[in-house]
Coordinates of all heavy atoms in Angstrom, one line a residue:
L783 N 47.3 33.1 -8.7 CA 46.4 32.3 -9.5 C 47.1 31.3 -10.4 O 48.1 31.7 -11.2 CB 45.6 33.2 -10.4 CG 44.7 32.5 -11.5 CD1 43.5 31.7 -10.8 CD2 44.0 33.5 -12.4
A784 N 46.8 30.0 -10.2 CA 47.3 29.0 -11.0 C 46.1 28.4 -11.8 O 45.2 27.9 -11.2 CB 48.0 27.9 -10.2
A785 N 46.2 28.5 -13.2 CA 45.1 28.1 -14.0 C 45.5 27.3 -15.2 O 46.6 27.5 -15.7 CB 44.2 29.3 -14.4
S786 N 44.6 26.4 -15.7 CA 45.0 25.6 -16.8 C 43.7 25.0 -17.4 O 42.7 24.8 -16.7 CB 45.9 24.5 -16.5 OG 46.2 23.7 -17.6
V787 N 43.7 24.6 -18.7 CA 42.6 23.9 -19.3 C 43.1 22.4 -19.6 O 44.2 22.3 -20.1 CB 42.2 24.6 -20.6 CG1 41.1 23.7 -21.3 CG2 41.7 26.0 -20.4
I788 N 42.4 21.4 -19.2 CA 42.7 20.0 -19.4 C 41.6 19.3 -20.1 O 40.5 19.8 -20.2 CB 43.1 19.4 -18.0 CG1 41.8 19.2 -17.2 CG2 44.1 20.1 -17.2 CD1 41.9 18.3 -15.9
E789 N 42.0 18.1 -20.5 CA 41.0 17.1 -21.0 C 40.6 16.2 -19.8 O 41.5 15.5 -19.3 CB 41.6 16.3 -22.2 CG 42.0 17.1 -23.3 CD 40.9 17.7 -24.1 OE1 39.7 17.2 -24.0 OE2 41.1 18.8 -24.7
G790 N 39.3 16.2 -19.5 CA 38.9 15.3 -18.3 C 37.5 15.6 -17.9 O 36.9 16.5 -18.4
D791 N 37.1 14.9 -16.9 CA 35.8 15.1 -16.3 C 35.9 15.9 -15.0 O 36.9 16.4 -14.6 CB 35.1 13.7 -16.1 CG 35.9 12.8 -15.2 OD1 36.9 13.3 -14.6 OD2 35.5 11.6 -15.1
G792 N 34.7 16.0 -14.3 CA 34.6 16.8 -13.1 C 35.5 16.3 -12.0 O 36.3 17.1 -11.4
P793 N 35.5 15.0 -11.7 CA 36.4 14.5 -10.6 C 37.9 14.8 -10.9 O 38.6 15.1 -10.0 CB 36.1 13.0 -10.6 CG 34.7 12.9 -11.0 CD 34.6 13.9 -12.1
A794 N 38.3 14.6 -12.1 CA 39.7 14.9 -12.5 C 40.0 16.3 -12.3 O 41.1 16.7 -11.8 CB 39.9 14.5 -14.0
A795 N 39.1 17.2 -12.7 CA 39.4 18.7 -12.5 C 39.4 19.0 -11.0 O 40.3 19.8 -10.6 CB 38.3 19.5 -13.2
R796 N 38.5 18.4 -10.2 CA 38.5 18.7 -8.8 C 39.9 18.2 -8.1 O 40.4 18.9 -7.3 CB 37.3 18.0 -8.2 CG 36.4 19.0 -7.4 CD 35.2 18.4 -6.8 NE 35.0 17.0 -6.9 CZ 34.2 16.4 -7.8 NH1 33.5 17.1 -8.6 NH2 34.0 15.1 -7.8
R797 N 40.2 17.0 -8.5 CA 41.5 16.5 -7.9 C 42.7 17.3 -8.2 O 43.5 17.6 -7.3 CB 41.7 15.0 -8.4 CG 40.9 14.0 -7.7 CD 41.4 12.6 -8.0 NE 41.5 12.3 -9.5 CZ 40.5 11.8 -10.2 NH1 39.3 11.4 -9.6 NH2 40.6 11.5 -11.4
L798 N 42.8 17.8 -9.5 CA 44.0 18.6 -9.8 C 43.9 19.9 -9.1 O 44.9 20.5 -8.7 CB 44.0 18.7 -11.4 CG 45.2 19.4 -12.0 CD1 46.5 18.8 -11.5 CD2 45.1 19.5 -13.5
A799 N 42.7 20.5 -9.1 CA 42.6 21.8 -8.4 C 43.0 21.8 -7.0 O 43.8 22.7 -6.5 CB 41.1 22.4 -8.5
R800 N 42.6 20.7 -6.3 CA 43.0 20.6 -4.9 C 44.5 20.4 -4.8 O 45.2 20.9 -3.9 CB 42.3 19.4 -4.2 CG 40.9 19.6 -3.9 CD 40.4 18.5 -3.0 NE 38.9 18.7 -2.7 CZ 38.0 17.9 -3.2 NH1 38.3 17.0 -4.1 NH2 36.7 18.1 -2.9
S801 N 45.1 19.6 -5.7 CA 46.5 19.3 -5.7 C 47.3 20.5 -5.9 O 48.4 20.8 -5.3 CB 46.9 18.2 -6.7 OG 48.2 17.8 -6.6
V802 N 46.9 21.4 -6.9 CA 47.6 22.6 -7.2 C 47.5 23.5 -6.0 O 48.5 24.2 -5.6 CB 47.0 23.3 -8.5 CG1 47.6 24.7 -8.7 CG2 47.2 22.4 -9.7
R803 N 46.3 23.6 -5.4 CA 46.1 24.5 -4.3 C 47.0 24.2 -3.1 O 47.6 25.0 -2.5 CB 44.6 24.4 -3.8 CG 44.2 25.2 -2.6 CD 44.2 24.5 -1.3 NE 43.8 23.2 -1.2 CZ 42.5 22.8 -1.0 NH1 41.6 23.7 -0.8 NH2 42.2 21.5 -1.0
D804 N 47.2 22.9 -2.9 CA 48.1 22.4 -1.8 C 49.5 22.8 -2.0 O 50.4 22.8 -1.1 CB 47.9 20.9 -1.6 CG 46.5 20.6 -1.0 OD1 45.8 21.5 -0.6 OD2 46.1 19.4 -1.1
K805 N 49.9 23.0 -3.3 CA 51.3 23.2 -3.6 C 51.6 24.7 -3.7 O 52.8 25.2 -3.9 CB 51.7 22.5 -4.9 CG 51.7 21.0 -4.8 CD 52.3 20.3 -5.9 CE 52.3 18.8 -5.8 NZ 52.7 18.3 -4.4
L806 N 50.6 25.6 -3.7 CA 50.7 27.0 -3.7 C 51.3 27.5 -2.3 O 51.0 26.7 -1.3 CB 49.4 27.7 -4.0 CG 48.9 27.7 -5.4 CD1 47.5 28.2 -5.5 CD2 49.8 28.4 -6.3
P807 N 52.0 28.6 -2.2 CA 52.5 29.1 -0.9 C 51.3 29.2 0.1 O 50.3 30.0 -0.3 CB 53.2 30.4 -1.2 CG 53.6 30.3 -2.6 CD 52.5 29.4 -3.3
Q808 N 51.2 28.6 1.2 CA 50.1 28.6 2.1 C 49.9 29.9 2.9 O 48.9 30.2 3.4 CB 50.1 27.4 3.0 CG 50.0 26.0 2.3 CD 48.8 25.9 1.4 OE1 47.7 25.9 1.9 NE2 48.9 25.9 0.1
G809 N 51.0 30.6 3.0 CA 50.9 31.9 3.7 C 50.3 33.0 2.9 O 50.1 34.1 3.5
R810 N 50.1 32.8 1.6 CA 49.5 33.9 0.8 C 48.2 33.4 0.2 O 47.9 32.2 0.0 CB 50.5 34.2 -0.3 CG 51.8 34.7 0.1 CD 52.6 35.2 -1.2 NE 51.9 36.2 -1.9 CZ 52.3 36.6 -3.2 NH1 53.4 36.1 -3.7 NH2 51.6 37.5 -3.8
P811 N 47.3 34.4 -0.1 CA 46.1 34.0 -0.8 C 46.4 33.3 -2.1 O 47.2 33.9 -2.9 CB 45.4 35.3 -1.0 CG 45.9 36.2 0.0 CD 47.3 35.8 0.2
G812 N 45.8 32.1 -2.4 CA 46.1 31.4 -3.6 C 44.8 30.8 -4.2 O 43.9 30.3 -3.4
V813 N 44.7 30.8 -5.5 CA 43.5 30.3 -6.2 C 44.0 29.3 -7.2 O 44.9 29.7 -8.1 CB 42.7 31.4 -6.8 CG1 41.5 30.8 -7.6 CG2 42.2 32.4 -5.8

Side-chain angles (χ1 to χ4, degrees):
L783 172 64
S786 180
V787 179
I788 68 169
E789 300 292 333
D791 56 11
R796 236 177 5 258
R797 283 195 301 270
L798 185 56
R800 287 195 182 103
S801 185
V802 172
R803 182 265 319 272
D804 293 343
K805 295 189 181 315
L806 289 170
Q808 297 302 295
R810 297 187 57 188
V813 177

